[in-house]
Amino acid sequence: MARSTLAQGLSLLLGLFGGIGVAAAQTEWRGVMELEGRYFRVDEGRGLTGSVAGLLDIYQPTGDRDLSLIAELFYREDADDPRRSHGDIRQAYLQALGREFELYAGWRRIFWGVTEARSLVDTINQTDLVEDIDGGAKLGQPLVQLRWLAPLGTVDGFLLAGTRARTFPGQDGFPRIPFPIARRAERFPNGEQQRLDYALRWQFRAPGLDLGLSWFDGTARDPDFLPCLAEGSDFPNTDNGPNCNLQDAMPEQPLPGALVDLLQLLRLAPSDAEVEADTRQKVMDNLVLVPDYPRERRAGLDLQYLRGGLALRLEALLRERDGNWSQAAVAGAEYTLPGFFGTGWDVSALFEYLYDARDNDVFAQRFADDLFFGTRMSLNDLAGSVVLAGVIVEPDFGNRLFSVEASRRLWGDWRLTADVRVFSDLPDDPLVDLIDGQDRVRLLLQRFF
């Protein structure tokens, strides 16, 4: 599917190039090739894996200086996980620029947000989870965007064509999700994946101030997960797909009678407890998670205030699913000391508070009431060396997520990045199995051209 998607994107681009009718010599090409190695600490199985990936940026001008085509194509080949071997049209859109209005049509990646530990208000694009669990990689979204350069800020309107389903790693990939994901059984509102959603955003900028207000009404990008009985299992109603009615797995009560009691007494028939235990084990062996993408409305606020070396940041979210409203927020500060004690380095201290009131979502519970502490160091050397380190702490239980990322340029067009992620003191909770055992070390070598 990934290869066909990429092939369709290439065909589309070639068709657009031909339709625009400009010389190929005018096309600007840029790209990056990368070699990645990852090591995961796992109890069993192979924890070392590698992959290669490429990203191609294309800029195609036209005879009209205000009209152009921009594209970004991505492909990764993973040595162990077939689901991580995938391609995507990150971007491929026509851009028309005017004095007061701008129009974009095609696949785009749109980012909203200002905070470091978690991007709450970032809504438009679907997460490419096979790339990493941090949510930084996004799939391209087909859309039409109209921008009004208003006197008091910028107003964007988005018409979103369909919903991209989230990618998930396979059984041999990472993160090691304890139950299989039934990707082909995904559920969408009214059974429609290709439907039109919309979003609005107003952004205002003044000296030292960035303010954004957004509204989204459409299919949620982060799914709920329904526990279901796998297709093709021996349970009822699994012939044509997973059955999410777990009541069908409950055994029928044995007929009362002296004969049944006598057979159980003589151990010629299983006891009621043994029947229930066997059924529970059979359910666990055939349990799959079905992603469910409900309708969602969300209002977002992002705010950043800069004064000297201090940056104050806030992201707040109000969202509704199935008539239930919930709130979430990330608030914090970053203070930068330039030329740190004569070293020539720029060193920043970061602090953020993470809150999420949605208690029925596994991933939201990771940020229900947490604190983030971090530091960013720019060495200001010729190699462009940068180090970012941080920890997210849950104060009540003490579980922590440590992360360190460092990168520097090796030669003119080469860059090396190393990052480490460690989970510590996680509580004994089945929900935590979704992130436990994902301690990771990654090395990334990139060549830009």
Side-chain angles (χ1 to χ4, degrees):
M1 181 179 295
R3 290 178 174 84
S4 62
T5 300
L6 191 59
Q8 292 172 5
L10 290 171
S11 300
L12 173 66
L13 290 177
L14 293 175
L16 288 174
F17 286 162
I20 293 175
V22 289
Q26 294 179 323
T27 305
E28 298 179 14
W29 307 78
R30 293 183 303 171
V32 56
M33 296 294 295
E34 66 179 48
L35 177 64
E36 179 194 59
R38 301 187 301 169
Y39 174 77
F40 289 82
R41 183 179 63 85
V42 292
D43 295 333
E44 52 186 47
R46 182 180 178 186
L48 181 63
T49 183
S51 67
V52 294
L55 184 69
L56 180 62
D57 288 322
I58 307 171
Y59 172 74
Q60 175 66 71
T62 69
D64 185 346
R65 66 178 184 178
D66 295 327
L67 181 66
S68 57
L69 172 69
I70 298 171
E72 181 181 318
L73 304 178
F74 172 81
Y75 185 77
R76 180 180 299 280
E77 185 70 28
D78 192 271
D80 297 284
D81 186 3
R83 288 193 180 178
R84 197 168 187 252
S85 297
H86 70 301
D88 185 50
I89 307 171
R90 297 301 202 214
Q91 300 196 104
Y93 62 92
L94 285 170
Q95 171 183 274
L97 304 179
R99 178 173 298 181
E100 294 184 359
F101 291 92
E102 299 175 0
L103 178 65
Y104 307 87
W107 281 267
R108 290 206 74 192
R109 286 195 301 173
I110 307 295
F111 176 77
W112 302 338
V114 294
T115 53
E116 185 70 37
R118 187 187 186 194
S119 298
L120 269 179
V121 301
D122 192 27
T123 303
I124 298 296
N125 295 88
Q126 178 60 270
T127 298
D128 193 356
L129 195 67
V130 296
E131 286 298 300
D132 202 357
I133 66 173
D134 62 5
K138 299 289 185 177
L139 300 173
Q141 170 65 43
L143 57 81
V144 175
Q145 175 187 356
L146 180 62
R147 171 170 292 175
W148 176 33
L149 306 176
L152 291 177
T154 301
V155 180
D156 287 295
F158 300 87
L159 189 62
L160 310 173
T163 303
R164 302 289 304 274
R166 179 164 295 186
T167 59
F168 295 98
Q171 292 300 297
D172 295 326
F174 297 94
R176 290 288 171 85
I177 300 175
F179 299 104
I181 302 292
R183 295 190 308 157
R184 297 182 180 179
E186 296 142 339
R187 298 188 175 190
F188 296 91
N190 300 322
E192 299 178 1
Q193 182 176 1
Q194 304 302 323
R195 57 175 297 150
L196 292 178
D197 301 331
Y198 77 92
L200 301 170
R201 178 172 168 83
W202 172 67
Q203 186 173 12
F204 175 77
R205 290 182 175 177
L209 177 66
D210 283 344
L211 172 64
L213 296 174
S214 59
W215 173 260
F216 170 82
D217 190 335
T219 303
R221 272 38 182 173
D222 52 322
D224 297 325
F225 293 95
L226 306 177
C228 305
L229 300 168
E231 179 181 1
S233 60
D234 294 334
F235 292 104
N237 303 319
T238 59
D239 294 336
N240 299 316
N243 181 3
C244 298
N245 181 11
L246 296 186
Q247 291 297 325
D248 289 346
M250 300 302 294
E252 297 181 1
Q253 295 295 327
L255 294 175
L259 179 59
V260 173
D261 294 339
L262 177 60
L263 292 176
Q264 289 180 340
L265 180 63
L266 297 175
R267 295 193 174 274
L268 298 176
S271 66
D272 294 347
E274 290 173 333
V275 171
E276 292 179 2
D278 290 344
T279 302
R280 285 196 299 268
Q281 185 60 49
K282 186 179 178 182
V283 168
M284 296 299 293
D285 292 340
N286 291 276
L287 194 66
V288 297
L289 300 179
V290 172
D292 179 39
Y293 299 85
R295 270 306 265 190
E296 182 177 74
R297 293 184 295 168
R298 52 165 59 195
L301 163 68
D302 56 279
L303 174 66
Q304 179 172 251
Y305 176 72
L306 304 175
R307 185 176 180 85
L310 178 65
L312 301 177
R313 300 188 178 107
L314 169 67
E315 290 189 31
L317 187 66
L318 181 64
R319 60 196 168 198
E320 181 267 334
R321 289 188 181 187
D322 298 325
N324 298 316
W325 290 88
S326 63
Q327 308 83 35
V330 180
E334 177 176 354
Y335 187 75
T336 302
L337 293 172
F340 185 68
F341 291 104
T343 61
W345 302 354
D346 292 341
V347 178
S348 301
L350 299 98
F351 167 78
E352 290 177 353
Y353 170 68
L354 296 83
Y355 169 77
D356 199 319
R358 188 176 165 200
D359 56 4
N360 62 340
D361 182 84
V362 173
F363 297 101
Q365 290 183 27
R366 292 173 52 195
F367 310 105
D369 187 19
D370 294 1
L371 300 174
F372 168 75
F373 304 92
T375 182
R376 190 196 329 268
M377 294 181 289
S378 299
L379 305 191
N380 295 324
D381 56 355
L382 294 178
S385 302
V386 178
V387 179
L388 175 63
V391 57
I392 297 178
V393 181
E394 208 293 318
D396 292 337
F397 299 99
N399 51 298
R400 299 181 293 272
L401 166 59
F402 297 92
S403 62
V404 179
E405 179 178 335
S407 66
R408 62 172 289 138
R409 192 165 53 250
L410 296 181
W411 305 282
D413 297 322
W414 295 81
R415 175 167 288 273
L416 179 65
T417 301
D419 65 75
V420 180
R421 181 178 63 220
V422 177
F423 295 90
S424 176
D425 295 335
L426 294 175
D428 185 14
D429 189 327
L431 296 178
V432 179
D433 289 340
L434 290 174
I435 59 174
D436 197 5
Q438 304 306 320
D439 296 352
R440 187 205 67 188
V441 178
R442 182 180 70 148
L443 288 177
L444 180 66
L445 180 62
Q446 295 174 303
R447 169 67 162 88
F448 298 86
F449 60 91

